[in-house]
Amino acid sequence: MLMITQDIKGKRYETLMDVLFKHCTHFAFVEDRRRMEIEEERLAYMDVLTEEVRWDLIERTIVSEWETTRLSGDTAYLYSFHMNYRTAQFLKEHGGSLFSWIHPELPEDLMFYAGDRCVLAVCSHEAFFVVDEALWGCLERVND
């Protein structure tokens, strides 16, 4: 995996979502419970935000670690969705860049999977992401 600290924005972000749509089975993002003032209200906000892709939700679980973060004693909600045309459009419409997925407007830390293998994981608030070298090479060829 390559670690990259430059944000992917605009047209390049949309192209990345198209590449991920073709290569990934599902994606996930995180809602950190430490950042929730009133948990029930934030979860209701998340329900409204994800209304258009609610049928694509695989599960919402409580976790203490994910691809880019390990919490000590705290937990977060991990939302997992099927990757398909509808969810790819959702990702394009709601985020203008990888690092724009950040609290409070959006959930954080997008992760994309090809089966059980993570091919891209973002740590929005730390402004970095890790990406599979082959997938990154595919994106680079598209942008040439």
Side-chain angles (χ1 to χ4, degrees):
M1 298 281 269
L2 300 171
M3 185 172 132
I4 299 177
T5 57
Q6 181 180 1
D7 197 2
I8 305 297
K9 301 177 182 179
K11 181 77 172 144
R12 198 155 181 242
Y13 171 78
E14 290 184 13
T15 300
L16 175 60
M17 292 304 116
D18 291 337
V19 169
L20 291 166
F21 165 60
K22 292 176 185 170
H23 290 87
C24 294
T25 54
H26 62 288
F27 73 94
F29 53 64
V30 173
E31 251 317 293
D32 191 335
R33 294 173 88 184
R34 296 173 302 172
R35 296 178 186 222
M36 296 180 176
E37 287 184 37
I38 302 171
E39 189 165 333
E40 295 79 23
E41 287 182 9
R42 184 62 183 185
L43 292 176
Y45 172 79
M46 290 301 299
D47 288 345
V48 170
L49 178 71
T50 60
E51 172 68 23
E52 65 198 86
V53 293
R54 70 183 166 135
W55 301 112
D56 302 300
L57 179 67
I58 299 168
E59 65 181 346
R60 181 183 80 183
T61 56
I62 295 176
V63 298
S64 60
E65 64 182 79
W66 53 97
E67 302 297 337
T68 60
T69 304
R70 179 172 291 131
L71 301 175
S72 124
D74 294 306
T75 58
Y77 287 99
L78 178 75
Y79 289 76
S80 299
F81 293 87
H82 294 286
M83 189 70 180
N84 56 41
Y85 180 79
R86 181 176 37 250
T87 55
Q89 290 304 115
F90 168 82
L91 291 165
K92 287 180 189 180
E93 290 168 10
H94 288 281
S97 75
L98 284 181
F99 298 163
S100 69
W101 287 85
I102 196 159
H103 186 85
E105 289 80 21
L106 295 170
E108 299 184 330
D109 296 355
L110 289 173
M111 294 161 278
F112 296 87
Y113 299 87
D116 291 336
R117 189 171 61 89
C118 183
V119 296
L120 189 146
V122 182
C123 187
S124 307
H125 65 279
E126 296 288 334
F128 77 88
F129 66 94
V130 292
V131 61
D132 177 82
E133 290 182 44
L135 181 71
W136 189 248
C138 181
L139 179 63
E140 292 297 308
R141 285 191 297 280
V142 168
N143 288 319
D144 286 343

